[in-house]
Amino acid sequence: MAHGNYSYKPTNAFMKWLDSRLPIVRLVDESVLKFPTPKNLNMWFTFGGILTFMLAVQIVSGIVLAMHYVPHETQAFDSVERIMRDVNYGWLLRYMHSNGASMFFIAVYLHIFRGLYYGSFKAPREVLWLLGIVIYLLMMATGFLGYTLPWGQMSFWGATVITNFFSAIPLVGESITQWLWGSFAVDNTTLQRFFSLHYLLPFVIAGVVVLHIWALHVPGNNNPLGIDVKGPQDTVPFHPYYTTKDGFWIALFLIVFAYFIFFNPNFLGHADNYVPANRLVTPAHIVPEWYYLPLYAILRSVPDKLIGVILMISAILIWALLPWLDTSRVRSNNFRPIMKQLFWILIVVIFLLGYLGAQTADDSNLVFFGAELPIGKLLLSQLLTFYYFAHFLVITPIVGLWETPNPVPESISKAVLAKKNGGAVPVAAE
Amino acid sequence: MGAAMTKLNLLVALALVFGFADKTLAEDAHAVKPPKQMKWSWDGPFGQFDRQQLQRGYQVYKEVCASCHSMHLVSFRNLSQPGGPEFSEAQMKAIAAGVQINTLDDKGEAFDDKGVALQRPGTAADRFPSPFSNELAARAANNNAYPPDLSVITKARPDGSNYVYSLLTGYSDPPAKFELLPGLYYNAHFPNHQIAMPQPLATDDQVTYAPNAGNPAATIDQMAKDVTAFLTWAGEPKMEERKQMGVKVIIFLVLLAALLYTAYRQLWKDVDH
Ligand code: HEM
């Protein structure tokens, strides 16, 4: 548990005065600076910090972009180009923002799968995990809305395809879709409301992030061993230990980010989005941004639109059931010989789904590195979708009951000491 | 950036190269031929444009392409900005003044009393004028095809610079049995191999390069390279500034990471973890 022996002592008369009226310095001191953090966290635990940083990058660059951007169907495309050409460092802002969205999603996926691997979703962190899913859903919505704003071909047709999902809802689908559009098709009204919502949602995200961190600070961080903190000997204060360690990883992350901004700014985008939106010309191949590709493959794996949409949404919502589907006594996959392998299989399945999501939607055989595989794309995506759901709904509960986990160390401090002395890890008494 | 392929096109290219190369491509005469992979002066993290090449490229655009294609995002003043063709201020103003721009008179009229459009000489602030007043007029003059605006064309096609160069040099006679629709031209780099654009660079010396020291002969290939360079710059006029800043930022971040790493190792020295 996260109860340290630290407490805040105001150092001068003014701080004492303030502390008895608005204990904000105490809050920061106790919940950030001195926050007792397990001492065995590895690099996978820095993505929370990276995500907070990236949210700030998106909000700051976005606010300045919004000062120059024109949300109108006849001017949006040119206004983005004008930002790139005529606004001082506008190219930097725009490439920060467009590549920032991708980096944000890279970080959130690593963050989520870190949680999956180390069992961070398990009791007592269920609410923390659920809030994380809410943040992810809001990010998906924000990224989609933002991608429509430059009003290129992919913006327009992506928005058309995605909003059309709602028309799959029986009876009221058509009305809901037109209500979202504010019109009878994606047009200027749609662009303007998407801009308004794209501006709004990141601040909603920031709000949920506060709840997320609050929910983190009750049980404290999970850690690679997945065992509870037993006392102060298991932790270090967040500052300066993790500010420097996370700072180092953030700097490495920024090097990758900077590579994309400065040397390959359009690599993660799609050339068609530099063609202005044209409702008369449908692009040969409408693909969403890379971060939606696995979901897109799940959507297309069934011919029925309604079922496809339901599957796609369930693919995320199923994560919300995970704390109750996982029956294992042990959190970390480090001590789960079978689940550990199933975890990596799941990752491969998701990558394959992502690959299929980028392919043209026909049922030709899959061509993979030159070899034509004897399996149709449709069948393969159906099998993978089936496995994806089976992993959570069937495999996870059964393996949790049936697998014998390896012995778990008694405490973090004993485990790290043993590792240092090269001895056997002391095991908790059963 | 010019040579950058989106990951998707990389996959498509891989599928093409490995998957279809031996069998499908031979069978299906309509598969698009992948762009030729060229070496450009602006490739790589330290790449820069060749000023003389951009100036020649502008000349090719102006004398050949501009009769069909607009470039409405580019202004004359851009021609003398750092990182571009870097014409002198005087040269740039002379270029602008040599172009007639539609205008309004004091009463806001666009035409004189005989219905002729009012015009004035261009200034540095003007954007390149468009050859047609609207899309319908452009289509009417081009066999119902629309010559796209070329301002960002190298970003609007996968592997854009290589693609534009390959397209310009990719005209040939159609293979036997190929059914070319009337008014279209055979080009293996264009989808379906038929394009409505007649071969724009058709003979050597179509454009007369100034006999400056260092200006190469105006072969078709050279003109295609030069205009591709110009279009790449026009699509990304801040590329040099971007790459130069990028080198500094990466150096800074590497130093910062090294510093934080040392601090973190130093701090954690006495903590078992
Ligand atoms: C969660 C944080 C955010 C994400 C993931 C995000 C994502 C995106 C994406 C993917 C684009 C399209 C980029 C492109 O291809 O050009 C975009 C554009 C844009 N965003 Fe955001 N954004 C975020 C926050 C914000 C905020 C807070 C604002 C305004 C206050 C904003 C304003 C804009 C504007 C004006 C554009 C259009 C300019 C452009 O396309 O570059 N964004 N956003």
Side-chain angles (χ1 to χ4, degrees), chain A residues 15-178:
Chain A
M15 292 305 247
K16 274 198 195 102
W17 180 87
L18 183 67
D19 191 53
S20 56
R21 286 160 180 82
L22 177 69
I24 185 163
V25 181
R26 175 184 298 273
L27 181 79
V28 172
D29 191 72
E30 284 174 4
S31 63
V32 182
L33 300 181
K34 291 191 189 134
F35 185 66
T37 311
K39 51 190 187 179
N40 61 335
L41 301 188
N42 57 26
M43 65 158 286
W44 300 108
F45 286 76
T46 63
F47 286 98
I50 290 178
L51 283 163
T52 315
F53 180 82
M54 288 312 296
L55 180 62
V57 168
Q58 291 304 94
I59 289 183
V60 172
S61 60
I63 288 178
V64 186
L65 283 171
M67 295 173 187
H68 302 279
Y69 169 78
V70 185
H72 190 278
E73 59 178 345
T74 59
Q75 292 170 59
F77 185 93
D78 283 4
S79 79
V80 171
E81 273 303 318
R82 214 166 301 130
I83 289 171
M84 302 262 286
R85 288 154 194 271
D86 296 340
V87 172
N88 286 334
Y89 298 107
W91 58 268
L92 179 59
L93 285 169
R94 199 262 171 144
Y95 282 151
M96 261 167 75
H97 199 77
S98 59
N99 288 292
S102 280
M103 297 305 286
F104 201 178
F105 276 95
I106 291 176
V108 86
Y109 281 125
L110 293 173
H111 190 67
I112 292 171
F113 287 103
R114 180 286 319 255
L116 217 55
Y117 185 88
Y118 293 120
S120 303
F121 53 87
K122 290 171 78 69
R125 298 186 181 80
E126 301 95 319
V127 173
L128 174 59
W129 172 255
L130 294 177
L131 288 167
I133 297 174
V134 173
I135 294 174
Y136 173 69
L137 289 171
L138 287 167
M139 278 176 66
M140 298 284 268
T142 310
F144 159 69
L145 294 167
Y147 195 58
T148 52
L149 300 186
W151 211 240
Q153 275 289 68
M154 278 301 153
S155 300
F156 179 83
W157 290 98
T160 302
V161 169
I162 308 251
T163 47
N164 259 311
F165 293 164
F166 292 91
S167 68
I169 303 169
L171 302 177
V172 289
E174 205 68 20
S175 323
I176 291 185
T177 316
Q178 288 178 5

Side-chain angles (χ1 to χ4, degrees), chain A residues 177-198:
Chain A
T177 316
Q178 288 178 5
W179 175 73
L180 288 173
W181 288 336
S183 177
F184 296 103
V186 173
D187 66 12
N188 192 46
T189 328
T190 324
L191 175 60
Q192 287 180 350
R193 62 185 53 192
F194 278 17
F195 177 53
S196 171
L197 293 173
H198 182 68

